[in-house]
Amino acid sequence: MNNSQENLNLNKAKLLKQLIDKSYKKGNFILASGKESNHYFNCKPVSLNGEGLKLISNLFLDLMDSRSKAVAGLTLGADPLVSGVIVTAASKELNLDALIIRKEIKNYGTMAGIEGPILREGTLVTVLEDVVTTAGSAIKAIKKLRENKYLVNEVLSIIDRQEGGYEALQEENIKLKSLFSIKDFI
């Protein structure tokens, strides 16, 4: 195994430990999708921590399509992710922009539904997610990006709960790439 692969595996192991310690709970929960689950993930305690966000951002950059010119995500879960990835990219002298997609279009000023730089039509954008269950949030982000004439071909997530999100994204011609699945936690 080469050094690069060893570092990748080490970073994934460190991130998984942080997620298990700070983000995973077992019990009875209602998810954003409305589904009931015995497993709950809140990645914000990790993504809003410097070391955690650094790990996520580096792993996402390794996973991301190298042709992508921007990362985007639905506010609030994706806010630290898109910010972390662009700062990490800049530290590696990679030019990458970020877009934050509002859940509701603001009804004042420019009435923007997407915050960030205005990119050329046809720009390839990668969507970032913390947890994918049914992929509802990711699909909402993808539709908004496509309405604005951007191209999207992948979603990167920290965790895939494996509850239909992969299949829902396939129906949108989107590839889901996840750092972990629920199987890594149970």
Side-chain angles (χ1 to χ4, degrees):
M1 189 180 314
N2 64 34
N3 255 356
S4 178
Q5 189 62 41
E6 280 181 32
N7 284 341
L8 181 70
N9 291 342
L10 183 62
N11 286 341
K12 275 189 84 169
K14 284 181 186 176
L15 180 57
L16 182 58
K17 180 170 181 3
Q18 283 197 25
L19 291 166
I20 289 169
D21 292 347
K22 300 177 183 177
S23 297
Y24 173 68
K25 292 188 180 356
K26 193 162 174 52
N28 295 313
F29 305 97
I30 303 293
L31 307 176
S33 64
K35 290 185 173 189
E36 291 183 27
S37 179
N38 294 325
H39 309 281
Y40 181 73
F41 298 96
N42 175 7
C43 292
K44 288 171 201 67
V46 176
S47 67
L48 292 171
N49 166 274
E51 180 64 22
L53 185 57
K54 180 180 172 184
L55 290 166
I56 294 165
S57 299
N58 277 298
L59 290 166
F60 272 177
L61 277 174
D62 286 339
L63 200 58
M64 190 171 74
D65 185 329
S66 62
R67 298 168 300 159
S68 194
K69 300 297 179 203
V71 291
L74 198 63
T75 198
L76 174 77
D79 292 359
L81 305 178
V82 298
S83 298
V85 168
I86 64 166
V87 169
T88 302
S91 75
K92 297 177 180 199
E93 298 186 16
L94 301 172
N95 187 17
L96 199 59
D97 287 313
L99 303 170
I100 302 288
I101 300 155
R102 292 177 173 274
K103 291 181 182 173
E104 302 288 329
I105 293 176
K106 63 182 187 177
N107 58 4
Y108 56 89
T110 61
M111 298 184 202
I114 299 177
E115 297 294 343
I118 297 172
L119 307 174
R120 284 186 307 179
E121 197 172 294
T123 297
L124 183 61
V125 178
T126 295
V127 171
L128 306 181
E129 273 283 2
D130 51 3
V131 180
V132 170
T133 302
T134 62
S137 294
I139 290 169
K140 187 173 184 177
I142 291 161
K143 287 183 177 179
K144 180 57 71 181
L145 290 164
R146 287 178 172 169
E147 284 170 15
N148 284 271
K149 309 223 183 320
Y150 298 131
L151 300 177
V152 183
N153 66 8
E154 68 181 358
V155 170
L156 306 185
S157 72
I158 300 170
I159 302 165
D160 176 5
R161 291 181 57 92
Q162 299 182 314
E163 293 186 29
Y166 179 88
E167 294 79 8
L169 288 166
Q170 274 190 319
E171 289 177 20
E172 298 288 330
N173 293 315
I174 300 293
K175 185 173 185 173
L176 175 62
K177 299 177 184 176
S178 297
L179 297 174
F180 305 103
S181 77
I182 195 164
K183 291 176 184 173
D184 293 304
F185 297 85
I186 56 177

